[in-house]
Amino acid sequence: MNKLVWMGIAAIAAVLLLTWWFYSTAIVDYAAPPDRFKQIGNTTASRTPQHIDNTTISRTQTPQPPPAIAVVKPPFNASAYEVNYTLVFTVSYSGITATMEGWMVIGTGPSGNYSFGMLTVPLQGTATFKSATEGNTTYTMTCLHWDCTVNEEKWPLASLIEGVNITRTAKGQCRRLNYTGTLYEERGMLDPKAFSRFIEGLVGNYTAYVCEVNGVMLSADLTATATARDEMVRLTMKMEAVKAGPYSVDVYRLILKEIKANK
């Protein structure tokens, strides 16, 4: 290799060394100190990506529907249930108003139906009653002042809700005991037999608003006007469920056994 070649290689090497020296000097003289560089880097990383993320989210995020309200499925239906009601029953007749208040439990099921409860009767005190069906027979026991009688007819107030010649019209939704049901307007005639113990010869019409859930009544607000012995009679009844659940065959058997033992 001749002298000119070595001089060329040396020149190229010198240029490479000079270029490296300028490059190193530029990094040392103009680069920020390590701590400051990290701070600037962190600030940039914390601001710029966040801005980009927010912009991206605001542009791409779609509105979400509100969470659905859970539908509570009732543990009862029209063929098997037990409901505990509060009851207020008022009769205005010939200038006198009498009010009975109390509670009652009604159970319906495959073995048979039952009911029991307590009423405060004006000028009489507290009356208790129990009722159960067996086949086509209904046994009812009513006790007042520890004097109990048993017969084979329905408890008088029970027929009031049933009435005769009833028409029903759905009016919308109703909600009782956290269950959603259907509100019905009922119109019909009073059953004279339902009030034979209180007022003889009563004839009239009634309007009731009934809330039913799964075919089971959870509230009723009834108003009736009637005549008896040429006198106007006004009747009101409010029933409100405070508890509703499944049918109890054990309660049915116990009530039927107790009533038949007191015949």
Side-chain angles (χ1 to χ4, degrees), residues 1 6 10 37 49 68 80 106 116 118 164 167 182 186 198 203 223 235 248-249:
M1 189 177 294
W6 281 108
F37 181 78
I106 296 178
F116 59 94
M118 180 181 297
V164 292
T167 61
T182 303
E186 290 189 1
F198 306 104
V203 179
T223 302
L235 308 168
S248 174
V249 65

Side-chain angles (χ1 to χ4, degrees), residues 10 13 24 40 86-87 89 97 103 105-106 116 119-120 125 134 138 143 149 163 165 175 181 214 240:
S24 299
I40 295 174
T86 57
L87 172 67
F89 178 65
T97 299
W103 58 269
V105 174
I106 296 178
F116 59 94
L119 287 173
T120 300
E134 186 178 40
T138 300
C143 299
T149 59
N165 298 330
R175 191 166 179 82
N214 228 19
E240 191 76 26

Side-chain angles (χ1 to χ4, degrees), residues 82-106:
E82 180 185 281
V83 183
N84 190 337
Y85 302 95
T86 57
L87 172 67
V88 179
F89 178 65
T90 302
V91 180
S92 298
Y93 175 65
S94 189
I96 300 174
T97 299
T99 300
M100 291 183 289
E101 298 183 2
W103 58 269
M104 62 184 297
V105 174
I106 296 178

Side-chain angles (χ1 to χ4, degrees), residues 214-233:
N214 228 19
V216 178
M217 185 188 77
L218 294 189
S219 72
D221 191 345
L222 180 146
T223 302
T225 55
T227 57
R229 301 174 185 174
D230 297 327
E231 291 279 355
M232 289 296 298
V233 181

Side-chain angles (χ1 to χ4, degrees), residues 75-77 80-84 106 177 179 218 243-248:
F76 53 81
N77 54 52
Y81 65 87
E82 180 185 281
V83 183
N84 190 337
I106 296 178
L177 302 179
Y179 302 122
L218 294 189
K243 184 179 180 181
Y247 172 79
S248 174

Side-chain angles (χ1 to χ4, degrees), residues 21 31 39 68 88 129 131 149 178 205:
W21 179 79
Q39 183 179 0
V88 179
F129 63 90
S131 178
T149 59
N178 291 326
N205 301 318

Side-chain angles (χ1 to χ4, degrees), residues 99-144:
T99 300
M100 291 183 289
E101 298 183 2
W103 58 269
M104 62 184 297
V105 174
I106 296 178
T108 297
S111 299
N113 303 335
Y114 60 88
S115 64
F116 59 94
M118 180 181 297
L119 287 173
T120 300
V121 182
L123 305 178
Q124 296 293 328
T126 299
T128 61
F129 63 90
K130 295 181 180 180
S131 178
T133 62
E134 186 178 40
N136 295 324
T137 303
T138 300
Y139 298 98
T140 302
M141 180 173 68
T142 305
C143 299
L144 183 63

